[in-house]
Amino acid sequence: MTAKTVWLLEEYDIWFSANSRILFGIFTTREKAIKAIFENYSEKALGVKNIDLYENGTNQWKSDTLNCGINIREIKLNNFEEV
């Protein structure tokens, strides 16, 4: 079997503390995970005006208005035929 990559979409506090992590979804591509960010954190979805979602490094976004950080983490499965 070949290794498979999945992308985890996670929300954190604004300092990206490990104990604040909330898993929002597992996606087959990074692009699908990014699309989900902007669908779930839009003004229409949350009813909040001026959501200031901005990039905070590779695969990270922050919102000062929502007091949260969002991260997309790449995970490789089946490296040792474990799945």
Side-chain angles (χ1 to χ4, degrees), residues 1 8 13 15 20 28-29 34 37 39 45 55 58 65 81:
M1 295 183 98
L8 303 182
D13 60 19
W15 301 280
S20 71
T28 55
T29 67
I34 290 172
I37 290 172
E39 287 175 355
E55 269 192 86
T58 304
T65 303
E81 297 187 22

Side-chain angles (χ1 to χ4, degrees), residues 1-72:
M1 295 183 98
T2 60
K4 177 162 178 72
T5 300
V6 295
W7 300 84
L8 303 182
L9 178 58
E10 303 165 320
E11 180 180 293
Y12 292 82
D13 60 19
I14 58 173
W15 301 280
F16 290 89
S17 304
N19 63 345
S20 71
R21 178 176 47 214
I22 300 169
L23 178 63
F24 275 158
I26 301 171
F27 299 87
T28 55
T29 67
R30 181 178 183 272
E31 291 73 24
K32 287 179 183 178
I34 290 172
K35 182 179 176 185
I37 290 172
F38 292 99
E39 287 175 355
N40 292 312
Y41 290 91
S42 68
E43 287 183 24
K44 182 179 177 184
L46 296 177
V48 177
K49 296 256 186 230
N50 301 323
I51 295 174
D52 59 339
L53 203 54
Y54 58 91
E55 269 192 86
N56 185 48
T58 304
N59 295 330
Q60 285 188 352
W61 292 263
K62 278 180 86 171
S63 172
D64 295 328
T65 303
L66 300 174
N67 290 321
C68 72
I70 301 161
N71 187 50
I72 297 177

